[in-house]
Amino acid sequence: MKKKKILLNAFSMNCVNHINHGLWTHPRDQSENYNDIAYWTDLAKLLERGKFDGLFLADIVGVYDVYQDSVDLTLRESIQLPVNDPMMLISAMAHVTEHLGFGVTANLSYEQPFLFARKLSTLDHLTKGRIGWNIVTGYLESAARAVGLSTQLDHDQRYDRADEFMEVVYKLWEGSWEDDAVLRDRKRRIYAQPDRVHKVDHRGDYYRVEAIHLSEPSLQRTPVLYQAGSSGRGQVFAGRHAECIFISSQTKEAARKLVTEARRSAVTQGREANDVKVFMGLTVVVAPTEKEAWDLFQEYTAYASPEAGLAHFSSGTGIDFSKYAMDEPIRAVKNNAIESLVKTVTNPELDWTKRKLLEQLALGGRYATIVGSPSQVADALEDWIRDTDIDGFNLTRTVSPESFEAFVDLVIPVLQQRGIYKTEYEDGSLRQKIFGCGNRLSAKHISAGYRAQVRERAAQDVAV
Amino acid sequence: MKKKKILLNAFSMNCVNHINHGLWTHPRDQSENYNDIAYWTDLAKLLERGKFDGLFLADIVGVYDVYQDSVDLTLRESIQLPVNDPMMLISAMAHVTEHLGFGVTANLSYEQPFLFARKLSTLDHLTKGRIGWNIVTGYLESAARAVGLSTQLDHDQRYDRADEFMEVVYKLWEGSWEDDAVLRDRKRRIYAQPDRVHKVDHRGDYYRVEAIHLSEPSLQRTPVLYQAGSSGRGQVFAGRHAECIFISSQTKEAARKLVTEARRSAVTQGREANDVKVFMGLTVVVAPTEKEAWDLFQEYTAYASPEAGLAHFSSGTGIDFSKYAMDEPIRAVKNNAIESLVKTVTNPELDWTKRKLLEQLALGGRYATIVGSPSQVADALEDWIRDTDIDGFNLTRTVSPESFEAFVDLVIPVLQQRGIYKTEYEDGSLRQKIFGCGNRLSAKHISAGYRAQVRERAAQDVAV
């Protein structure tokens, strides 16, 4: 049986620390240069040299203020604060690369769908179809207060609103301009054909939009859709919309379950099981030999901040871990969102304590970690793929950019020799590169129902 | 008396046509490449070669649908539709330049101030302080409907809301992080000092924001503020906030009056007359000789679309000019906003008709136009500066990019020889380059009252 090729995103964020907290203090870490464009263009070129599928940029709106009921540690340790807008980085990186994809996280809860759709269309145009959008609905009370709300919508309502937001942007991206709307005919002086451009008229529970989409059709129209929801309602949303699903798990059993659920949810929504690609968050510490890798791991842990990782996790779960004694069982709150987060940090079958969490957070971050020589790392990646049916990885940074450099220089060649990683990029959009089925979303995806041509045909059918 | 140096922005937009409509049909025009990053990076490098102060990017949210009560001509002629997000262009252009400034238009009416402030701070960081913001409040009903409103706020209310929006973003930009908040001290593991970072708590008529600004202080903090309001309420707003004011006028008398009013309005708000720089919209057709310039003008007019210019102007004034006979006097509606727009197209002392408007729109655009040899153009620029007290020009594009190339190659050297144009850029931020008084807004500007340190001192004064 032919082994599947591993998909690979680098995972980063427009800020100092991302997932592995505290490592900005390492003497070789350059992440405090996040405001230099060259930091990002150098990274993009490095990743393209390593044939990465994409750079996946996280984002957060709001601050982490649950731990110690304060934002103090967040500021001192720079736990994703300050954090700048990721979209502003894209055109510079797209200019110095040809194939690398860009997955940008954007919280739809505080965006106008009409203006948001234009932002993503602009980026899809400028990147020639290399843009993806990681759909998030947000979970921080501090974000709600920042935009003038006394509190956020409850969890399931946020997803109801998100479903409607998606409907609006599909109408704008897929339905407003027909494929042949733009002629660019200089002789006849016709840039676009008015009868091929349609006004969207959406009146829903959360949004009302009456407008022509401001952007002409881009290569992908709808960007590649990423999503990370692992709650029940989040999984339904992902099954309906997501093309790439981002999970994190400490155990293969839990990962396998998440993958199965993700594919099943897509099938339930009338799609194919392989219409979703699943990426797992992963931290890798690699060096030429196993011993050097463990030495490097030890060196990194001396700078990492498990407490900052815990503070980050406090906001994710809503539990202020500062209030717990080291060996006190943590059973405080139980709900789906928290349980799914707990899975990312520890084996959910075991009792968990702050001590165990901190051990798990030795590198300051909560993702599964592989330490070893290039072939050991390659073995481990193969095992994860084989045992869990995931499609690839979102690779975190530790010391930046050296952790990505090491992966590109040491691990990628091994994966290529084993025939489980591309040696050349395919042509075409990010969607075509990942799925090999064209630039547009498949006809089975919910967005297809909003295409202008489909709508026109449906109207004709009715008329006949 | 030493002549003042001419300030110069190139004026463009993330779309096919900008001001001079119809010229996208010219065989040499490349503006339909607006979705290629290289179109923009090449332009940025060209402008930096010409020592331009900035690239000023217009934007519009909504469509022009007043003329013929339809969007059809707008689509056929591509009258700023399609139009993409200008902010997405900046990082690529900033990456290939060192000094060029970027003035980005953004309509605050449909933005969340909290997220908007982060966007501009991100760009100020990435450009190392070369970002400006052209503040607009919008005027299109189609934009209001696109974001779910049945109609927009009335004109003066829009400015009231805009004043409050500015208050919020000043609080975020100037007041949330003190100058010494960020230490980046790796040894002591202190990225930012919590007691130097303050939560903004704004409760106003239009906005409620309770948040720490997500971005650490950038070089300019508040971007250089552009504004173009020429109504009474708009001038008050400009006097209070704007550092650069953008006007358009066909006659020197009208321009002189606008400049006097702009400076007076600033003084009324406690600022200096020269705290505002006034830029006038201008179209230049230049060639090595006068005859060649007029030949080029004739060549361009064969491709220009005065009717598209008229349709654009219909949305600006709210008057559907398609309903008028060629020589029928147009006296339909009279109000401040329209009168100020009319000044931009024709001498307001004269009766105006559609025929006269179309003659004025020979190049498809409404800005004053200079045609001539390099020295004739230089003479005319000097005359405008001397006779009206403006500080510089927003130079439109005609055939793109050749009109900017011609200006850089033919006119700039003449201006430099005459000592009225810089031969080298100064160091520092865009603000420092334009005003020579540092990177931050002056203490007399309204924003200074929102600085964290000022507020702290005021609190101490009260305490004492």
Side-chain angles (χ1 to χ4, degrees), chain B residues 132-144:
Chain B
W133 168 32
N134 178 33
I135 309 163
V136 302
T137 58
Y139 62 93
L140 296 179
E141 287 290 330
S142 58

Side-chain angles (χ1 to χ4, degrees), chain A residues 352-421:
Chain A
W352 45 308
T353 62
K354 189 155 99 177
R355 186 183 308 278
K356 285 179 191 165
L357 286 174
L358 287 169
E359 282 166 10
Q360 201 72 54
L361 293 162
L363 280 183
R366 69 173 184 263
Y367 292 139
T369 301
I370 298 172
V371 182
S373 70
S375 65
Q376 287 174 321
V377 170
D379 289 346
L381 298 182
E382 284 204 76
D383 289 350
W384 273 99
I385 298 267
R386 186 193 57 232
D387 297 342
T388 68
D389 194 32
I390 58 172
D391 299 284
F393 303 93
N394 266 12
L395 191 68
T396 69
R397 52 170 153 107
T398 52
V399 171
S400 180
E402 74 173 34
S403 67
F404 289 138
E405 286 166 354
F407 196 92
V408 167
D409 292 332
L410 300 176
V411 181
I412 294 289
V414 177
L415 300 177
Q416 288 172 327
Q417 283 156 20
R418 296 186 184 185
I420 52 172
Y421 191 76

